Amino acid sequence: MLQGALAGLAAGGLYAVLAVCLTLMSRLVRVVNFAQSATGMFGCYVAVFLSVQFGLPTWLATVAGILLGGLLSALLGWIVSTWLAEADTGARSAVTVAVLLLLISLSFILFGNKPQPFHPILDGPALTAGGVVISQVTVVTVALAVLVALASRLVLSRTSAGVELRALSERPTTAELLGIPAKRLSVAVWAATGVVSTLVVSIVAPSQSNDATSLAMLVVPAAAAALLGGFRRLDLAVAGGLVLGLVQGAAAQVDGLSVARYFLPFAVIVALLLWSQRKEVWDAAR
């Protein structure tokens, strides 16, 4: 079971990175980006297409796919910042649901509905501890989750751009009146999270269910992890993603629980939403 739990930690690192991106998007640009993993999926599919059809080296095709993922996310951010600047979080988030469905449909049209032949960027074990093998993918994804969270915190607390982003998130109208370039900063956040999402999906996709729908719906466990931190705290988002991956990996080793692991993110989301509403529910019941 321990080996299975550590195998699930690779997916946990992926969930954690995506959860950090979702948290940043929610805090800084007031969007729950349901297309977060879909842009990564589409970038990965284009990378496979470039590698198979045009013979590009795997590393070069992967870089092109990552840049495309960032560009797609930046384009979506520009559209939201231009035409939905005054809309509430619900309306801005609804647009990303449409983009999620659009990217899944577009991938079916362009690449078919079969899983793509991903070439592993990382392969093989990284180390063995007490007879338990830990893969390179696990080490890199977990390290990437921690690094992205720490780097985001440093940028937000120690740089002028971070101060401006925090001002925009807290007092958007006042910040714009003070001359802070709201649209440019918002698009930069969209682009950065798009690049990071595509990078981590590229690393993990060869070892996961690599069809378009499965990769695009990775946003669900990521949302469960981000919800643990209330879409505000980066440390809890990382912890939630890693724990979720560990539990899913351990459950996969038990015959009676192997199917239930697919529903675990939904159960976590429902439980956390009910817990967050406990005061209102109890007050209404009294």
Side-chain angles (χ1 to χ4, degrees):
M1 182 175 288
L2 179 59
Q3 181 69 62
L6 290 176
L9 198 54
L14 168 66
Y15 301 158
V17 173
L18 293 176
V20 168
C21 291
L22 287 174
T23 302
L24 290 173
M25 294 291 291
S26 176
R27 283 180 56 178
L28 302 178
V29 295
R30 297 179 292 116
V31 168
V32 179
N33 185 11
F34 292 100
Q36 192 76 63
S37 53
T39 52
M41 172 276 294
F42 198 81
C44 292
Y45 267 42
V46 170
V48 172
F49 179 80
L50 293 174
S51 178
V52 173
Q53 300 297 326
F54 294 96
L56 262 62
T58 301
W59 70 268
L60 184 58
T62 303
V63 170
I66 292 171
L67 293 177
L68 177 64
L71 184 62
L72 281 174
S73 190
L75 176 62
L76 178 56
W78 181 82
I79 292 171
V80 171
S81 301
T82 301
W83 284 292
L84 295 169
E86 303 299 327
D88 60 17
T89 302
R92 294 157 72 91
S93 302
V95 173
T96 67
V97 176
V99 174
L100 163 69
L101 299 175
L102 173 66
L103 289 176
I104 292 175
S105 301
L106 194 58
S107 69
F108 286 157
I109 294 171
L110 295 178
F111 309 113
N113 58 1
K114 295 181 179 178
Q116 295 298 301
F118 287 105
H119 296 290
I121 301 174
L122 300 171
D123 196 13
L127 54 96
T128 302
V132 178
V133 178
I134 301 174
S135 68
Q136 294 179 20
V137 172
T138 299
V139 173
V140 170
T141 53
V142 173
L144 191 59
V146 175
L147 284 175
V148 170
L150 288 176
S152 301
R153 184 166 184 172
L154 285 175
V155 168
L156 292 177
S157 61
R158 301 291 179 84
T159 67
S160 57
V163 172
E164 291 178 345
L165 283 168
R166 285 160 50 204
L168 275 174
S169 66
E170 299 294 336
R171 297 284 188 275
T173 304
T174 304
E176 287 191 64
L177 290 174
L178 290 174
I180 293 176
K183 182 187 291 187
R184 191 169 64 198
L185 286 173
S186 296
V187 173
V189 172
W190 282 85
T193 55
V195 166
V196 171
S197 298
T198 312
L199 170 62
V200 73
V201 172
S202 300
I203 293 173
V204 178
S207 60
Q208 298 289 314
S209 299
N210 52 6
D211 61 280
T213 304
S214 297
L215 291 176
M217 296 312 292
L218 285 171
V219 73
V220 175
L227 193 58
L228 181 65
F231 284 91
R232 301 290 300 175
R233 291 187 54 176
L234 297 174
D235 55 344
L236 288 180
V238 172
L242 296 180
V243 170
L244 189 57
L246 281 169
V247 174
Q248 282 187 318
Q253 304 302 308
V254 181
D255 290 339
L257 297 176
S258 58
V259 175
R261 74 182 190 277
Y262 296 112
F263 302 97
L264 185 61
F266 297 99
V268 171
I269 289 174
V270 171
L272 290 174
L273 287 176
L274 291 176
W275 177 253
S276 68
Q277 299 298 314
R278 65 192 183 284
K279 186 174 185 304
E280 288 78 1
V281 173
W282 290 346
D283 287 346
R286 281 201 291 264

